[in-house]
Amino acid sequence: MKFCSNCAQPVALRQPEGDHLPRYVCDTCGTVHYQNPKLVVGCVPEYEGRILLCKRAIEPRLGYWTIPAGFMENGETTQDGARRESFEEALAEVEIGSLLAVVHVLHADQVHVMFRARLLEPRFGPSPESLEVQLYAEADVPWHDIAFRSVDFALRRYFEDRRGGVENHHFSAIDLRAPRA
Amino acid sequence: MKFCSNCAQPVALRQPEGDHLPRYVCDTCGTVHYQNPKLVVGCVPEYEGRILLCKRAIEPRLGYWTIPAGFMENGETTQDGARRESFEEALAEVEIGSLLAVVHVLHADQVHVMFRARLLEPRFGPSPESLEVQLYAEADVPWHDIAFRSVDFALRRYFEDRRGGVENHHFSAIDLRAPRA
């Protein structure tokens, strides 16, 4: 952020009075531009025991496999967003189920919220965001080619819980920031 | 948003190619300025059966009661944020427990994530953000003066679960947007 989105003057990074963190502040119009973590919402769609994965058609991690997921939009719930992403990325109609995982991706300022889901019909396919979409049995999941650590975490918990006959939710944090000097 | 925070030129609200929603777009430098829901994190601190509430010293809802909660910051987990807010708003040291509620506040583009918590010592007090801080037994909770519907929802589920001896998590959505014409 270099300029104020309200008045177009340059912003400064400094701690406002009474605050505890530096913020982008406009000294011309007084606006404080807060920056907060973004929510990424997704799901693990299951159909007759197999789960739906998408091979990414876009960066980052083009060519690697992931679950349908993406940035949550204003005006929707986390479940709405997970369902929307399933359709956008995999042309899949899903029914969202229980909460599976909340992963704090600290180096990216993101919170990934992932649900269990049921694929309603065995209909799905590639989209502008996915090169391939495929149902995988647990034994065939391409673990070495999973796009993101948060998705690896969620998938492992998914199968563990399924083997145990439970639907728990799991918190985790991933931090790839450089250590402070 | 009126101006591009990257290059200070005016932005236009329009649907970028391949997108499904209107965005603030800078036609000079090409930046798309996405706007996404913000996370509010909080907790219900309990001490010997009573819960800690704060009387708000700031708008909105000045003078009404709430749990310690506030906007999540970059670089922290939801639990970190809930713990931080307890100290900032109530000078209370808490240990965060299980997930209590996720409330989608659709008219405000916010997702409220609230946890159970344990107040470690009966030490707390007002802050620049709270006029009063007080421990309340369930029978004494000022239900008519609770600041936000999301907090009312979380508190009711809190006490229901406690009576039932369970710690479930609860999703809800609140939508006070005007109906579309």
Side-chain angles (χ1 to χ4, degrees), chain A residues 2 5 23 73 78 104, chain B residues 2 5 23 36 73 78 104:
Chain A
K2 298 177 207 158
S5 54
R23 314 283 182 185
E73 299 283 5
T78 48
H104 304 98
Chain B
K2 297 177 205 157
S5 54
R23 313 283 180 185
N36 303 90
E73 300 283 4
T78 49
H104 303 99

Side-chain angles (χ1 to χ4, degrees), chain A residues 1-9 18-21 23 34-39 71-80 84-85 88 98-99 102 104 106 109-111 113 115 129 167 169 171-173 177, chain B residues 1-9 18-21 23 34-39 71-80 84-85 88 98-99 102 104 106 109-111 113 115 129 167 169 171-173 177:
Chain A
M1 165 160 279
K2 298 177 207 158
F3 301 97
C4 177
S5 54
N6 184 51
C7 77
Q9 297 306 302
D19 205 335
H20 61 289
L21 285 175
R23 314 283 182 185
Y34 295 95
Q35 296 187 315
N36 304 91
K38 285 187 194 294
L39 278 154
F71 287 109
M72 184 179 173
E73 299 283 5
N74 285 342
E76 67 184 5
T77 66
T78 48
Q79 288 94 343
D80 290 340
R84 177 182 52 70
E85 290 287 344
E88 287 179 14
S98 58
L99 179 63
V102 177
H104 304 98
L106 294 167
D109 297 324
Q110 294 175 359
V111 181
V113 176
F115 295 90
E129 300 177 34
E167 293 195 3
H169 66 276
F171 280 91
S172 182
R177 293 177 291 194
Chain B
M1 166 160 279
K2 297 177 205 157
F3 301 97
C4 177
S5 54
N6 184 51
C7 77
Q9 297 306 301
D19 206 335
H20 60 289
L21 285 174
R23 313 283 180 185
Y34 296 95
Q35 296 186 316
N36 303 90
K38 284 185 195 294
L39 279 155
F71 287 108
M72 185 179 172
E73 300 283 4
N74 285 342
E76 67 183 5
T77 66
T78 49
Q79 288 93 342
D80 290 340
R84 176 182 52 72
E85 289 289 343
E88 287 178 16
S98 59
L99 180 64
V102 177
H104 303 99
L106 294 166
D109 297 324
Q110 293 174 0
V111 180
V113 175
F115 294 91
E129 300 177 35
E167 293 195 3
H169 65 276
F171 280 91
S172 182
R177 293 176 293 194

Side-chain angles (χ1 to χ4, degrees), chain A residues 68-149:
Chain A
F71 287 109
M72 184 179 173
E73 299 283 5
N74 285 342
E76 67 184 5
T77 66
T78 48
Q79 288 94 343
D80 290 340
R83 191 167 44 240
R84 177 182 52 70
E85 290 287 344
S86 294
F87 193 77
E88 287 179 14
E89 301 198 343
L91 308 179
E93 299 271 12
V94 303
E95 184 181 281
I96 301 295
S98 58
L99 179 63
L100 169 62
V102 177
V103 182
H104 304 98
V105 186
L106 294 167
H107 51 281
D109 297 324
Q110 294 175 359
V111 181
H112 294 193
V113 176
M114 292 168 275
F115 295 90
R116 293 174 186 83
R118 196 164 66 87
L119 180 63
L120 298 176
E121 300 286 342
R123 279 199 298 258
F124 52 83
S127 74
E129 300 177 34
S130 302
L131 298 169
E132 280 180 63
V133 179
Q134 203 177 306
L135 284 170
Y136 279 102
E138 181 179 356
D140 301 325
V141 168
W143 290 109
H144 292 292
D145 294 319
I146 297 297
F148 304 109
R149 292 179 193 216

Side-chain angles (χ1 to χ4, degrees), chain A residues 7-20:
Chain A
C7 77
Q9 297 306 302
V11 292
L13 187 63
R14 63 174 174 77
Q15 197 157 314
E17 200 184 315
D19 205 335
H20 61 289

Side-chain angles (χ1 to χ4, degrees), chain B residues 98-101 116 138 154-170:
Chain B
S98 59
L99 180 64
L100 169 61
R116 294 173 185 84
E138 181 179 355
L155 288 176
R156 291 182 190 277
R157 299 298 84 72
Y158 184 86
F159 290 119
E160 281 170 16
D161 278 5
R162 197 173 72 170
R163 285 193 296 272
V166 294
E167 293 195 3
N168 293 325
H169 65 276
H170 306 272

